[in-house]
């Protein structure tokens, strides 16, 4: 049964809820959001928009790592 707050249908595609994978893998915010948008792409709204959001978070993480490397 779907619960719009705790377990919306688009959060569960297959047998793993995305948040459980993100927490298990101990991903930071940007990496977790990238995984979230990739996993849910096309299951709620605009698939292309979801993938662009994932790319935005990946680019943000790349920029963070480049700044750390430059220090």
């Amino acid at each position: 049964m779907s619960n719009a707050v705790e377990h919306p249908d688009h959060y569960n595609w297959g047998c793993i809820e995305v948040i459980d994978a993100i927490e298990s893998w101990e991903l930071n915010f940007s990496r977790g959001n990238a995984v979230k948008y990739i996993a849910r792409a096309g299951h709620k709204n605009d698939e292309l928009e979801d993938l662009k959001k994932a790319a935005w978070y990946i680019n943000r993480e790349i920029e963070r790592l480049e700044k750390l490397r430059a220090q």
Side-chain angles (χ1 to χ4, degrees):
M1 177 188 293
S2 178
N3 176 315
V5 174
E6 294 180 19
H7 303 285
D9 287 338
H10 67 280
Y11 282 25
N12 296 294
W13 198 257
C15 61
I16 299 171
E17 191 165 337
V18 177
I19 194 169
D20 293 330
I22 291 168
E23 289 175 350
S24 176
W25 298 337
E26 298 178 353
L27 299 179
N28 69 16
F29 186 80
S30 292
R31 291 179 189 203
N33 272 318
V35 168
K36 174 185 76 173
Y37 281 112
I38 290 168
R40 297 179 187 167
H43 297 292
K44 182 179 179 188
N45 292 320
D46 184 332
E47 182 175 14
L48 181 58
E49 182 179 276
D50 288 338
L51 294 174
K52 286 181 178 182
K53 288 178 181 179
W56 187 88
Y57 281 106
I58 290 168
N59 287 326
R60 184 173 176 88
E61 181 66 0
I62 289 168
E63 289 171 8
R64 184 186 73 82
L65 293 171
E66 287 176 339
K67 285 179 186 175
L68 285 175
R69 185 174 283 180
Q71 292 180 354

